[in-house]
Amino acid sequence: SRKRLSALEEFSELGDGFKVAMRDLDIRGAGNLLGGEQSGFISDIGFDMYHKILDEAVTDLKENEFKDLFESETDLKPFINDTIIETDLEILIPEDYVKNITERLSIYTQLDNIKSKAELTIFKQSIQDRFGQIPPTVTNLFKTVKLRWLSIDLGFEKLVLKNGRMRCYFPPKGNDAYYQSAAFSQVIGYVQQHPKSYQLKEIKDKLMLVMADITTIDQAVVQLDNIWLSFQKQ
């Protein structure tokens, strides 16, 4: 966090967003668009990214070094800030659908910033209006946004959907606030009620929820949505 704040201080002129992003990549390393890490092939970063990096750095300081001063704020936040999603399914914007790479990256960035179903619906319609009928891989991309939201709400720090199986990773064991929360209790209660569909496993001190026969994003969304709806009814 200190290194990133120093980068913001060094590159403080309007339009220096690209330099800030490159420094941030150097500090954090490259990552993926669907997870918590910054993508390594973004070639055009502007003022929005400048503020995003700043917000992340400030949030990190609030939750760690100055936690006591902002205790009332952190109590209202989700247990995790983001969920990393890994999958072997095609979830992307094809080059033959959006030919301009800058446009494609812009769409990924805008998707990352959408926070509600209403916004997502409007954005999806705007993409169809601009580029034509939405192909299946892009439809999967939109559905993955919903999957990511559900994973965050349920407290999963990572979701892996590969080889027809979905593994949802819980936060590290040291996260006492989460493991003592109603959200975790509800997940466990739901799993106990549906033992044939869900399994809890622990591998190398990593607790995960495993679901078999999940071959599409739709099926993954339905499974997590069922758990979330059961929690909302309580």
Side-chain angles (χ1 to χ4, degrees):
S1 298
R2 293 183 183 279
K3 290 180 180 178
R4 290 158 71 187
L5 286 173
S6 296
L8 293 176
E9 185 178 11
E10 180 179 352
F11 302 118
S12 59
E13 297 296 327
L14 186 62
D16 273 349
F18 181 77
K19 296 177 183 177
V20 173
M22 291 302 99
R23 180 64 62 83
D24 187 56
L25 276 176
D26 183 58
I27 295 169
R28 295 196 296 175
N32 59 70
L33 284 166
L34 292 178
E37 300 96 343
Q38 182 177 323
S39 174
F41 59 83
I42 292 177
S43 59
D44 187 13
I45 302 297
F47 194 61
D48 287 342
M49 182 56 73
Y50 174 94
H51 276 285
K52 183 175 181 178
I53 296 170
L54 177 61
D55 288 342
E56 289 180 358
V58 171
T59 299
D60 194 25
L61 287 172
K62 282 183 177 182
E63 293 178 352
N64 293 285
E65 189 168 347
F66 301 105
K67 182 179 179 179
D68 294 340
L69 296 176
F70 297 93
E71 186 173 357
S72 59
E73 289 187 23
T74 54
D75 286 345
L76 301 175
K77 295 190 61 161
F79 293 102
I80 61 167
N81 295 321
D82 202 357
T83 299
I84 297 173
I85 295 179
E86 295 180 4
T87 181
D88 54 7
L89 301 176
E90 283 196 297
I91 303 174
L92 52 83
I93 303 170
E95 292 183 21
D96 58 358
Y97 183 61
V98 180
K99 296 178 174 57
N100 187 292
I101 185 172
T102 303
E103 285 280 5
R104 292 200 302 274
L105 294 175
S106 175
I107 292 171
Y108 284 124
T109 301
Q110 291 176 74
L111 269 175
D112 186 52
N113 292 326
I114 290 176
K115 302 301 181 186
S116 71
K117 291 181 179 179
E119 289 181 39
L120 187 62
T121 300
I122 293 171
F123 186 67
K124 183 177 180 181
Q125 186 60 52
S126 71
I127 294 300
Q128 182 165 312
D129 292 342
R130 290 173 61 193
F131 302 104
Q133 185 64 36
I134 297 177
T137 56
V138 180
T139 298
N140 277 341
L141 180 62
F142 281 103
K143 292 175 180 177
T144 302
V145 173
K146 296 180 181 179
L147 185 65
R148 185 180 175 190
W149 290 343
L150 285 166
S151 299
I152 293 171
D153 288 337
L154 292 171
F156 299 131
E157 67 171 9
K158 183 178 179 180
L159 185 148
V160 178
L161 178 55
K162 293 182 178 180
N163 302 317
R165 177 174 293 190
M166 181 163 69
R167 301 191 302 273
C168 304
Y169 291 80
F170 291 95
K173 286 187 175 180
N175 193 330
D176 294 337
Y178 174 72
Y179 287 105
Q180 295 172 7
S181 70
F184 178 69
S185 297
Q186 183 61 30
V187 172
I188 297 301
Y190 191 85
V191 170
Q192 290 172 343
Q193 293 172 16
H194 303 82
K196 294 183 179 180
S197 301
Y198 305 91
Q199 285 185 317
L200 282 174
K201 290 187 176 181
E202 186 173 1
I203 300 177
K204 295 181 179 179
D205 293 329
K206 286 282 187 179
L207 182 64
M208 69 182 79
L209 179 63
V210 181
M211 287 157 265
D213 300 321
I214 306 296
T215 58
T216 67
I217 297 297
D218 277 324
Q219 292 174 335
V221 170
V222 168
Q223 292 297 326
L224 295 194
D225 199 35
N226 287 340
I227 299 175
W228 175 245
L229 288 176
S230 71
F231 177 63
Q232 293 297 92
K233 292 176 182 178
Q234 297 300 314

